[in-house]
Amino acid sequence: MARVVHFEITADDPERAVRFYEKALGWKIHRMEGGIAYWLVTTGEEGQMGIDGAIMDRSDPVQAVINTIGVGDLEATMEAVRNAGGKADGDIDDIPTVGRFTYATDTEGNRFGILEPLPRS
């Protein structure tokens, strides 16, 4: 079975996007060596569920993928998103047996999902 193993967030201003994701979500981001405009993103600690990815220059004006980010506190995350220059992009919905979910938009106009999952049993 195929699994998602990496993501790429495109940005008009990748350095601004880096600042946004570091401030809003606490991601660790560093520019790839070799002069390429590609920033590697670490989203969690070793052994945690999830994937890592990258931020890069936008080459296509149409975004084909929306990534969903799991968080422990949806309201606190939305406050951090707004403080970092992003915005809420919808209401918070309760998804039965899954958790609470909403969309947000980053400083580059990219939409992403935010999920506060229900506790695992």
Side-chain angles (χ1 to χ4, degrees):
M1 183 179 323
R3 297 180 73 189
V4 176
V5 296
H6 184 77
F7 62 83
E8 291 178 327
I9 298 172
T10 62
D12 294 324
D13 183 341
E15 291 178 351
R16 180 175 61 197
V18 166
R19 289 188 303 272
F20 171 80
Y21 284 101
E22 286 176 334
K23 184 175 178 182
L25 301 176
W27 290 354
K28 296 174 184 154
I29 304 172
H30 68 277
R31 190 170 181 152
M32 191 170 165
E33 294 181 21
I36 186 170
Y38 199 78
W39 288 258
L40 297 173
V41 177
T42 302
T43 64
E45 301 300 324
E46 185 69 32
Q48 284 184 315
M49 182 175 69
I51 63 172
D52 297 326
I55 296 172
M56 58 190 257
D57 284 317
R58 186 183 319 274
S59 60
D60 184 342
V62 178
Q63 181 180 346
V65 176
I66 296 175
N67 295 295
T68 297
I69 300 158
V71 301
D73 184 331
L74 188 58
E75 282 79 8
T77 301
M78 287 308 301
E79 181 178 344
V81 164
R82 287 188 289 274
N83 288 340
K87 66 176 187 166
D89 195 13
D91 296 328
I92 294 174
D93 294 313
D94 289 315
I95 303 173
T97 72
V98 175
R100 299 170 63 234
F101 178 83
T102 192
Y103 286 106
T105 303
D106 70 12
T107 53
E108 304 309 303
N110 294 310
R111 191 174 202 212
F112 60 97
I114 302 174
L115 173 68
E116 180 183 322
L118 292 174
R120 294 178 136 192
S121 51

